[in-house]
Amino acid sequence: MSTPEQEVEYRQHRFSPPPGATEIFLVRHGESAPAKGDDPFDLVDGQADPDLAPDGRDHAERVGRRLADERIAALYVTTLRRTSQTAAPLAAKLGLTPEVEADLREIHLGDWENGLFRRYTHEGHPIVEELWREQRWDVIPSAESMESFGGRIKAAIGRLAAANPDRRIAVFTHGGVIGEVFAQASAAKNRFAFLGADNGSISHLVVSGDNWMVRRFNDTSHLQSPFG
């Protein structure tokens, strides 16, 4: 006597990266020291290089605890010390030495470097309104062009992915950089759609060749922050 064939089931499964893909955790550095008019920041290649603030060091410790068990194979920082300071607790836990990826440094703000961007934003400078209206950093006098910024970010992500197939890496970088990465990944018409990643937040990108897949943005659960 024949028995009916078992019905085939097609289950939903959790996402897994394609073979050869790279998972990149993009961590925004912890909160940096406040800008003061009478105590300017040190500069690195013309860009402000503040230390982490006390809250920023707490952010770094929390990031280290959050990512310690996530199978991170390599760490990357930028030329600006707030990223290496944020990476330090995780580097110590994993026994890894961060590598420098200079092209993932923050957008160069030209005449508004060294804390002036924070000041003018607070004061409501008319160029700040123009910046948001035009969705371009380079409305700021002498600032890096959007084309240069976007190009170096794309090239850097491509290099890191090519060097780390089938691996997870953590990249400690900046708010403007994270915003640009996710604008490119999503082909957002609004170039500033992903600005505002919080200090100490973790965003997750999967890179498979030319395909950039967004997995999460601005995860702050390890910071115990309520929804703003």
Side-chain angles (χ1 to χ4, degrees):
M1 180 178 179
S2 61
T3 58
E5 293 184 8
Q6 184 176 0
E7 184 176 1
V8 178
E9 296 180 341
Y10 301 95
R11 295 182 56 194
Q12 292 182 318
H13 294 280
R14 187 173 182 176
F15 172 86
S16 60
T22 305
E23 292 188 77
I24 303 177
F25 294 103
L26 291 135
V27 182
R28 187 181 179 197
H29 61 80
E31 181 183 343
S32 58
K36 299 178 182 179
D38 59 351
D39 187 18
F41 298 133
D42 294 334
L43 297 178
V44 171
D45 295 327
Q47 288 187 276
D49 190 32
D51 279 314
L52 290 184
D55 281 352
R57 296 186 184 279
D58 179 63
H59 295 154
E61 292 291 342
R62 290 173 182 269
V63 168
R65 291 195 294 269
R66 174 73 184 281
L67 293 179
D69 297 322
E70 292 297 336
R71 298 180 286 108
I72 304 295
L75 304 177
Y76 293 86
V77 297
T78 77
T79 54
L80 301 173
R81 61 185 164 186
R82 55 194 181 272
T83 64
S84 56
Q85 290 170 344
T86 306
L90 181 61
K93 290 177 184 296
L94 300 181
L96 294 174
T97 300
E99 301 177 53
V100 174
E101 176 44 76
D103 279 348
L104 290 180
R105 67 192 180 278
E106 186 59 288
I107 180 77
H108 195 296
L109 295 173
D111 292 355
W112 284 19
E113 277 291 346
N114 217 355
L116 287 178
F117 180 81
R118 298 187 196 183
R119 173 186 167 185
Y120 291 152
T121 297
H122 177 76
E123 293 176 351
H125 194 290
I127 287 180
V128 174
E129 296 180 11
E130 183 182 358
L131 180 148
W132 283 100
R133 185 172 61 251
E134 298 294 330
Q135 304 286 296
R136 296 187 66 91
W137 292 107
D138 48 10
V139 302
I140 296 172
S142 302
E144 183 176 5
S145 74
M146 295 296 288
E147 291 73 23
S148 172
F149 181 53
R152 69 173 166 87
I153 298 306
K154 183 176 182 179
I157 293 294
R159 281 195 302 273
L160 295 186
N164 293 280
D166 294 311
R167 302 175 88 193
R168 282 181 164 181
I169 65 174
V171 176
F172 292 78
T173 185
H174 308 269
V177 171
I178 294 169
E180 179 65 17
V181 168
F182 281 81
Q184 290 191 29
S186 64
K189 292 182 179 180
N190 180 345
R191 195 76 173 264
F192 287 0
F194 290 93
L195 280 187
D198 292 305
N199 292 113
S201 64
I202 301 169
S203 298
H204 185 187
L205 184 75
V206 175
V207 179
S208 178
D210 292 332
N211 190 17
W212 295 13
M213 292 166 273
V214 175
R215 296 295 299 151
R216 57 176 59 81
F217 172 72
N218 198 46
D219 184 343
T220 58
S221 57
H222 52 292
L223 303 180
Q224 301 178 345
S225 299
F227 287 114

